[in-house]
Amino acid sequence: MSAGSDLREVRDTVADLLADRVTPEVLEAAERDGWAAGVWEPLHAGGFTTVGVPESAGGAGGSVAEACAVLEAAGAAAAPVPVAETGLLAGCLLASAGLDLPDGPLTTGVGDVALRDGSLTGRLARVAWASAAARIVVLADGPDGTVVAVVDPAAARISPGHNLAGEPRESVDLGGVVPETTAPAPPGARDDLARRGALARAAQIAGAARRVLEITVTYTGERVQFGRPVSRFPAVADHLVRVAEQAEMAAMASRSAAVGAGPDGEPAELDVAAAASVASEAAGLVAAAAHQATGAMGVTREFALGVLTRRLWSWRDEWGGERAWSTRLGHTLAAGGPDALWPTISRGVRV
């Protein structure tokens, strides 16, 4: 079986697992309660929440590409659980420092955090699922260099907050908190975490965009106006083409970056910058075109489209966003000099 077939099998397996579990009622309850334990449990039991984390650290093993395949399926289902945070982000950060994964959901965030005399100072902003996490994993500046610290959320002061999709994005005050465990962080840990965060959101965007395409095509094919499906009107067909092309671009870019990491490696700066830039731009274009094609029905709470487009609008700005990663992409391309520019941007896509 080819690598592409293996990744499709992962996506399909997770999609089947989530199909009957992520319902409108579950999503509504998750916005109220902070997350959906009933969605988390089968994913965690199946090992899907820690794909990409080495087995030696307590993860399920597998590559970055396999982890992103899980995230595509989770994004398509709008699964209200910290899959990206537990595996590809916090889990891999722990493993890189030689620490084992605690049981349960994990999360991480970025901020000016320091470790002094055994306790932490500083604050993390917009941490995903902080209240629902069993542990928060942070990077802190210690007296001898950067360390990875594991924190019990109950010891921190967490201020509630949400993104546009109703997913928890909370402020975590770590002042005076004594971490349960610390270990020296590997060189480049902050950049590695930023790249993994951006790639995780790109994969989720790709999955959600594909699902938006399916919903929009189905609705416009069934909705009849003036004796024919509205999808046959040129203006609506143009919107459908826009959704399809942008969804495909997001998937191609995120998958190429994930596959480029190899079986045990880190995704490259250039690949992630391209994936994050493309996916972030595609998120806005897909959402706009889908709502244009579906009209008033697309913005009703009863229709599934809004659940996904609100996530597209939210995820595109997390872990950097389009402008930040476009800037990094330009700097990375320019750093190679004019002779390397064309060979770099014209190389084959690894999907």
Side-chain angles (χ1 to χ4, degrees):
M1 182 181 290
S2 68
S5 298
D6 289 342
L7 297 177
R8 281 194 295 272
E9 184 176 344
V10 172
R11 286 192 292 270
D12 291 346
T13 300
V14 176
D16 291 342
L17 183 65
L18 295 174
D20 297 328
R21 291 181 169 88
V22 184
T23 64
E25 294 77 18
V26 167
L27 289 168
E28 184 174 351
E31 288 193 28
R32 181 184 64 248
D33 301 335
W35 78 314
V39 175
W40 168 266
E41 289 163 3
L43 282 172
H44 192 55
F48 294 110
T49 59
T50 57
V51 172
V53 181
E55 292 182 40
S56 59
S63 65
V64 171
E66 289 167 323
C68 286
V70 172
L71 294 179
E72 269 197 56
V81 288
V83 180
E85 290 71 21
T86 298
L88 200 56
L89 303 184
C92 287
L93 183 56
L94 287 170
S96 72
L99 297 173
D100 291 337
L101 270 66
D103 191 33
L106 307 173
T107 193
T108 187
V110 294
D112 293 326
V113 179
L115 178 67
R116 297 290 184 269
D117 299 323
S119 64
L120 297 170
T121 63
R123 177 185 295 269
L124 304 176
R126 299 190 62 77
V127 179
W129 319 99
S131 296
R135 294 295 183 271
I136 301 173
V137 182
V138 301
L139 285 168
D141 294 324
D144 299 317
T146 305
V147 299
V148 176
V150 180
V151 172
D152 183 347
R157 291 171 293 282
I158 299 177
S159 302
H162 298 83
N163 63 15
L164 184 62
E167 298 174 313
R169 297 295 186 265
E170 298 161 309
S171 176
V172 180
D173 185 351
L174 296 169
V177 174
V178 177
E180 294 181 335
T181 309
T182 63
R190 293 188 188 277
D191 287 338
D192 289 345
L193 179 61
R195 283 192 290 267
R196 285 174 173 268
L199 181 56
R201 290 295 183 261
Q204 290 174 292
I205 286 171
R210 289 266 176 146
R211 181 60 184 143
V212 165
L213 175 62
E214 294 172 2
I215 291 171
T216 307
V217 168
T218 298
Y219 176 79
T220 56
E222 295 174 348
R223 177 82 167 94
V224 175
Q225 192 77 15
F226 303 112
R228 57 177 175 169
V230 297
S231 61
R232 294 177 58 186
F233 289 91
V236 175
D238 285 346
H239 292 312
L240 296 179
V241 170
R242 173 60 62 88
V243 174
E245 68 184 9
Q246 293 297 323
E248 185 62 30
M249 286 176 64
M252 183 171 61
S254 64
R255 292 174 185 177
S256 178
V259 171
D264 302 307
E266 287 287 335
E269 173 80 9
L270 178 67
D271 294 344
V272 172
S277 301
V278 169
S280 296
E281 181 182 25
L285 295 173
V286 165
H291 280 294
Q292 288 281 357
T294 55
M297 177 58 73
V299 298
T300 61
R301 194 166 183 86
E302 295 77 15
F303 195 52
L305 182 63
V307 169
L308 293 162
T309 54
R310 286 187 288 124
R311 281 164 171 76
L312 290 176
W313 284 318
S314 299
W315 293 340
R316 66 177 178 172
D317 292 327
E318 296 181 348
W319 290 99
E322 180 186 353
R323 176 173 295 184
W325 283 104
S326 294
T327 301
R328 291 177 69 160
L329 175 61
H331 288 163
T332 305
L333 288 170
D339 292 339
L341 180 60
W342 177 248
T344 299
I345 65 177
S346 62
R347 70 186 182 184
V349 176
R350 302 170 302 237
V351 178

